Amino acid sequence: MGLFSRREKAPKAAGTEPSLSTSQSKSSLASGSSSLKSPGLASSSRIMNRTSAGTASTNGPGTPITPFSTGNTPGLPRIDLPRAPDPQLDPVGYLRSLGAVRDRSKIVTDKALRNDLRHFDVDMRKFSDVVTFVANIIKRDYDAPFTSIPPHGRHQHFAVGGRDRVADLLSTFPEDVDNTEKCKRMIDLFLISVLLDAGAGTKWSFKSSENGRIYRRSEGIAVASLEMFKTGMFSGDKNNKYQVDKEGLQSLTVEKLAQGLQSKPGNEMAGLEGRAQLLIRLGQALDEKREFFGEAGRPGNMLVHILSHPSTQASNIIIVPLTVLWNVLMNGLAPVWPASRTAINGISLGDAWPCSSMPQPAQSPTSPTFSPFPNTTGQANGVAPWESILPFHKLTQWLTYSLMQPMQSIMKIHFAGQEFMTGLPEYRNGGLFIDMGVLTLKKEDSDRGLDHYAEYCQRTGTRAVEVAPMFVPGDDVIVEWRGVTVGFLDRLCIEVNKSLKNELAGNELSLAQVLEAGSWKGGREIAEMSRPNTKEPPILIDSDGTVF
């Protein structure tokens, strides 16, 4: 099949829409209702009071609006979103906020636009090639005006092969299981599946016990997690196997998870032990954070917290500020992150890392991954220590995108502020810009990465088939690459909409739709063409299973 040969497109009939269809906010990153603006547009102040309209109706996919639009959702009231913490007073709170991701990544992206990165050469003349490539994939797989494109989320991975496994599961629940419990069960499932969804490696695959088919990578992890969920592996409640709770997770072992994932010699999943420890720590977090997860320590109980939150508006429609969900995930899951992550004054920041392309204090941290600024409150040379840290919160954002789906579809919740979500800085989205020639790793870093890969192959017994540079997640190369990816995805969304203007016929694609139908898929496809044997990204991650 040629690169842009026509594939079977998304069905148009209303009855064939995904069971968890979702909607996107029509507020704009560049509108008067927002203080955060996309790269390529004039930048506004970092920390301002933000307002947003609610999201569109969940009765169908809707027509999401891109960052450069100014429209608001008709019929929904405007919602005041909380002010982000002042980083000079509360650097931890700021760096853990959603707004900090795009805000801080803009610094690295601006350097990229000047070809002033530390680890990559940048050729923006190639960016139009990426736009064309992604736009052609969208046209290949969806019919104009592309309103059938779902937002990026875990639900689509459960539907691999055209079978909507989530709809199938929902249909098996008896009539006395109400919508609230159905939604809780889907939150349980989606959360556990997303946390398992780091890169699986080239050796691993999963054979479904239900149809005997083989699945790999993200779709394989989705199917595997669903089948484990259905057996009750994550539940400590003998009366309800369809849940995740603290008791079920605290009894989990590496061996049990390996069995569930079919990981064994010759079919090893990368970072298996890291994933198991992540889930065990999740069990501890569910026990500790009872204000979010209840006495039972169940992820789905966050629904009760969200619906009862003082800022949630419930009249004829339910409107929840996205910051409410974000707070549950950032604070509720804080104990999940490994102790080796970046910390300020002993408080872990999660997926946030020092980066040499960010403003640097007089004394830079000596370690790229462990508490670079313990007990540091001052600043030098006009640069505060926190300013050198670049936050991403990729898994938390992936969770946010994914958990909104069942809450929107089943409970008809509208989330205000979705426009502050960013593109996910992971190796498919980021690899797209390397394989298309926009970014080129500098020779010194490439040589160092190749040495790391050789050491990795020797250490793990991996046979080097298609050699590529490899780095640990906290390496400065990876952090800079991820920062640029966030900014370039915003720019890609804008340019793809311009490219598809005629086909869109007045509609516009949201960033979440471009991620789903274009950049993530495009990154995977160009990797398959560039490295057909391994299908790996152009830069490899020596992962512990907790970041990518």
Side-chain angles (χ1 to χ4, degrees), residues 30-295:
S31 74
S33 65
S34 167
S35 68
L36 297 179
K37 297 186 181 180
S38 171
L41 301 171
S43 176
S44 62
S45 175
R46 291 184 271 196
I47 307 164
M48 294 175 61
N49 194 36
R50 296 172 291 181
T51 60
S52 171
T55 59
S57 170
T58 55
N59 298 324
T63 308
I65 302 299
T66 54
F68 56 91
S69 295
T70 58
N72 291 320
T73 305
L76 293 181
R78 296 173 64 84
I79 302 296
D80 289 331
L81 299 182
R83 186 186 300 269
D86 184 337
Q88 301 297 342
L89 301 175
D90 182 11
V92 172
Y94 172 70
L95 291 170
R96 287 162 55 85
S97 71
L98 176 57
V101 178
R102 179 174 278 112
D103 186 19
R104 304 308 291 170
S105 291
K106 185 180 185 303
I107 295 173
V108 181
T109 304
D110 287 346
K111 286 191 173 184
L113 296 176
R114 301 193 302 266
N115 193 17
D116 191 28
L117 294 178
R118 186 175 294 267
H119 303 291
F120 294 90
D121 292 315
V122 184
D123 186 355
M124 291 305 294
R125 295 173 299 178
K126 301 289 184 64
F127 201 90
S128 60
D129 295 338
V130 182
V131 174
T132 300
F133 180 68
V134 168
N136 282 336
I137 288 176
I138 292 172
K139 288 191 288 186
R140 180 195 70 192
D141 294 345
Y142 294 90
D143 286 323
F146 313 121
T147 54
S148 62
I149 298 174
H152 204 40
R154 190 60 165 162
H155 177 255
Q156 285 79 256
H157 292 161
F158 290 119
V160 60
R163 175 189 167 195
D164 194 335
R165 293 168 180 80
V166 170
D168 291 347
L169 177 60
L170 288 168
S171 70
T172 65
F173 297 150
E175 292 184 0
D176 61 350
V177 177
D178 61 16
N179 280 345
T180 298
E181 175 60 24
K182 287 179 182 178
C183 189
K184 286 183 177 182
R185 294 181 181 188
M186 294 304 99
I187 291 172
D188 287 348
L189 169 62
F190 281 37
L191 185 140
I192 206 79
S193 186
V194 167
L195 289 182
L196 284 171
D197 188 30
T202 58
K203 297 180 180 179
W204 180 81
S205 63
F206 182 82
K207 183 176 181 179
S208 171
S209 63
E210 298 180 355
N211 61 15
R213 293 182 180 176
I214 303 294
Y215 302 99
R216 295 176 173 82
R217 303 186 184 277
S218 287
E219 292 85 354
I221 296 174
V223 174
S225 61
L226 175 59
E227 294 192 8
M228 287 188 286
F229 177 79
K230 291 163 73 172
T231 67
M233 177 179 287
F234 309 115
S235 174
D237 185 350
K238 62 181 180 180
N239 296 317
N240 182 17
K241 66 179 181 179
Y242 297 111
Q243 73 176 41
V244 176
D245 57 48
K246 61 184 181 183
E247 291 186 9
L249 293 177
Q250 289 172 354
S251 66
L252 194 66
T253 64
V254 176
E255 291 73 23
K256 286 183 180 179
L257 186 62
Q259 183 177 7
L261 291 170
Q262 302 175 2
S263 181
K264 56 188 177 181
N267 192 50
E268 295 95 342
M269 169 171 278
L272 177 67
E273 184 171 352
R275 292 171 213 262
Q277 293 304 318
L278 188 73
L279 296 188
I280 293 170
R281 289 194 300 273
L282 172 61
Q284 297 168 352
L286 295 174
D287 187 30
E288 293 175 15
K289 303 292 185 176
R290 299 186 183 189
E291 67 270 31
F292 302 127
F293 307 119
E295 292 297 318

Side-chain angles (χ1 to χ4, degrees), residues 14-29:
T16 59
E17 290 293 338
S19 64
L20 294 181
S21 62
T22 61
S23 61
Q24 297 296 295
S25 172
K26 290 190 176 184
S27 295
S28 162
L29 288 171

Side-chain angles (χ1 to χ4, degrees), residues 96 184 187-188 191 244 282 284-310 323-335 403 407:
R96 287 162 55 85
K184 286 183 177 182
I187 291 172
D188 287 348
L191 185 140
V244 176
L282 172 61
Q284 297 168 352
L286 295 174
D287 187 30
E288 293 175 15
K289 303 292 185 176
R290 299 186 183 189
E291 67 270 31
F292 302 127
F293 307 119
E295 292 297 318
R298 181 181 177 188
N301 284 338
M302 74 172 71
L303 179 63
V304 177
H305 172 84
I306 290 169
L307 291 176
S308 62
H309 195 275
T323 49
V324 175
L325 175 57
W326 184 260
N327 180 62
V328 171
L329 298 177
M330 283 301 296
N331 294 322
L333 301 183
L403 295 184
M407 286 189 270

